């Protein structure tokens, strides 16, 4: 019954209004507001501030600054094996495996379309058909910057407007096409392993998605925005393995896509496996 009420609530609540209001609070710099919010959050979720570059929670100018806090150098070891593809974030594997018949497995018999996930563009989906996917969930206590799994050059981004359901296990099991209906940013990179897509999925109360090359990209207008990044006339945006590529202002999910015969997942990983930024999760061919 609790799960049913939780899902019903998310269908009827004004998701975007609630999330944008939360974003305003999270950006508030008033010490009385932000210090109480930060202190409550750090205690409730047992945040490990010893690994943060700034260890005192209330020293951050806003809750969003605290939530997207930088780690001390060396806090995460990035696997430097030439063929290693690493986890882009701290979190847990929601699902991973093969993309079959143009569909990605979500949970308990539910799935969603690859083309829909990529904004409805069939030409973007084609290179990933019969390829591989991994869905990584970032919990509230996790580090919330997203880094490159592998060296890549940005080809284009697609901002896709959508709903803002929460993205925990309950919604994954009960909301159809969850990751293909929520607001998201798709980033397509060219790599030595072929095309790689990183999809940053928004969620309830997520106040925004940012990239290192474009700043805040969500929330935006309620329309799809496709942005090419060609090498000319400007320098290409190339990021090394382990480089930061974006961040969530309040947490969510990253979906990774690779083409057929491009990679092989580490066989010890499975749904609900915990992963850390920089940990090897696959090898490329």
């Amino acid at each position: 019954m609790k799960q049913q009420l939780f899902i019903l609530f998310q269908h009827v609540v004004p998701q975007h209004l609630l999330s944008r209001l939360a974003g305003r609070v999270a950006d508030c710099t008033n010490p009385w507001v932000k210090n109480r919010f930060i202190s409550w959050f750090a205690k409730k979720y047992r945040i490990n501030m010893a690994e943060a570059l700034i260890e005192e929670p209330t020293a951050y100018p806003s809750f969003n600054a605290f939530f997207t806090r930088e780690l001390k150098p060396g806090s995460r070891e990035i696997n430097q094996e030439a063929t290693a593809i690493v986890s882009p974030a701290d979190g847990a594997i929601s699902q991973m495996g093969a993309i079959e018949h143009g569909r990605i497995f979500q949970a308990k018999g539910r799935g969603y379309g690859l083309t829909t996930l990529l904004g409805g563009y069939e030409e973007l989906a084609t290179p990933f058909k019969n390829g591989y996917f991994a869905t990584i969930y970032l919990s509230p206590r996790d580090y919330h910057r997203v880094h490159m799994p592998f060296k890549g050059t940005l080809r284009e981004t697609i901002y896709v407007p959508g709903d803002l359901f929460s993205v925990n296990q309950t919604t994954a099991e009960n909301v159809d096409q969850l990751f293909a209906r929520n607001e998201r940013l798709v980033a397509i990179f060219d790599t030595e392993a072929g095309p790689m897509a990183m999809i940053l999925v928004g969620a309830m109360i997520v106040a925004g998605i940012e990239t290192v090359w474009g700043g805040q990209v969500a929330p935006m207008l309620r329309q799809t925005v496709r942005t090419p990044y060609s090498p000319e006339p400007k320098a290409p945006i190339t990021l090394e393995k382990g480089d930061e590529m974006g961040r969530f202002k309040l947490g969510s999910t990253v979906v990774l896509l690779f083409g057929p015969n491009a990679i092989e997942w580490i066989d010890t990983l499975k749904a609900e496996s915990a992963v850390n930024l920089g940990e090897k999760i696959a090898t490329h061919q």
Side-chain angles (χ1 to χ4, degrees), residues 79-151:
N79 187 300
Q80 293 299 331
E81 295 174 17
T83 60
I85 292 170
V86 304
S87 175
D90 291 352
I93 301 292
S94 177
Q95 298 292 339
M96 67 191 312
I99 301 169
E100 299 179 345
H101 309 295
R103 292 190 62 78
I104 298 173
F105 180 63
Q106 181 172 296
K108 286 193 173 180
R110 296 179 188 272
Y112 54 93
L114 170 64
T115 302
T116 304
L117 177 69
L118 298 180
Y121 296 101
E122 183 66 31
E123 71 274 19
L124 294 183
T126 297
F128 299 106
K129 287 183 177 178
N130 301 314
Y132 304 91
F133 81 96
T135 305
I136 301 172
Y137 167 68
L138 288 69
S139 75
R141 68 174 300 179
D142 287 323
Y143 168 66
H144 275 80
R145 296 190 184 192
V146 180
H147 295 245
M148 291 292 288
F150 197 60
K151 180 181 178 179

Side-chain angles (χ1 to χ4, degrees), residues 19-36:
S19 297
R20 302 323 176 209
L21 289 175
R24 287 177 178 265
V25 174
D27 275 332
C28 178
T29 57
N30 181 293
W32 190 91
V33 175
K34 62 98 175 175
N35 287 350
R36 283 160 176 75

Side-chain angles (χ1 to χ4, degrees), residues 129-281:
K129 287 183 177 178
N130 301 314
Y132 304 91
F133 81 96
T135 305
I136 301 172
Y137 167 68
L138 288 69
S139 75
R141 68 174 300 179
D142 287 323
Y143 168 66
H144 275 80
R145 296 190 184 192
V146 180
H147 295 245
M148 291 292 288
F150 197 60
K151 180 181 178 179
T153 298
L154 183 65
R155 185 198 308 168
E156 64 178 300
T157 63
I158 305 93
Y159 164 77
V160 187
D163 295 324
L164 287 174
F165 287 96
S166 64
V167 289
N168 55 33
Q169 190 63 26
T170 298
T171 49
E173 293 176 359
N174 292 278
V175 177
D176 286 332
Q177 304 188 74
L178 175 63
F179 303 114
R181 67 189 293 177
N182 268 17
E183 179 180 66
R184 58 202 178 276
L185 178 77
V186 178
I188 308 291
F189 292 89
D190 291 314
T191 80
E192 288 184 4
M196 173 182 73
M198 298 182 69
I199 300 95
L200 278 58
V201 183
M204 182 81 75
I205 313 298
V206 173
I209 297 170
E210 293 185 359
T211 65
V212 296
W213 59 83
Q216 182 144 325
V217 293
M220 293 179 66
L221 298 174
R222 300 287 289 163
Q223 62 184 27
T224 299
V225 179
R226 188 173 181 180
T227 306
Y229 289 86
S230 59
E232 299 296 339
K234 57 186 178 181
I237 298 172
T238 299
L239 300 175
E240 299 290 334
K241 178 166 60 176
D243 285 353
E244 182 185 347
M245 64 80 66
R247 62 186 68 172
F248 290 110
K249 293 181 176 179
L250 296 176
S252 192
T253 293
V254 179
V255 181
L256 296 178
L257 304 179
F258 293 93
N261 304 313
I263 67 157
E264 183 175 341
W265 297 121
I266 300 300
D267 58 14
T268 55
L269 294 176
K270 58 184 179 180
E272 300 186 12
S273 292
V275 291
N276 286 323
L277 165 66
E279 174 185 344
K280 182 166 72 171
I281 58 174

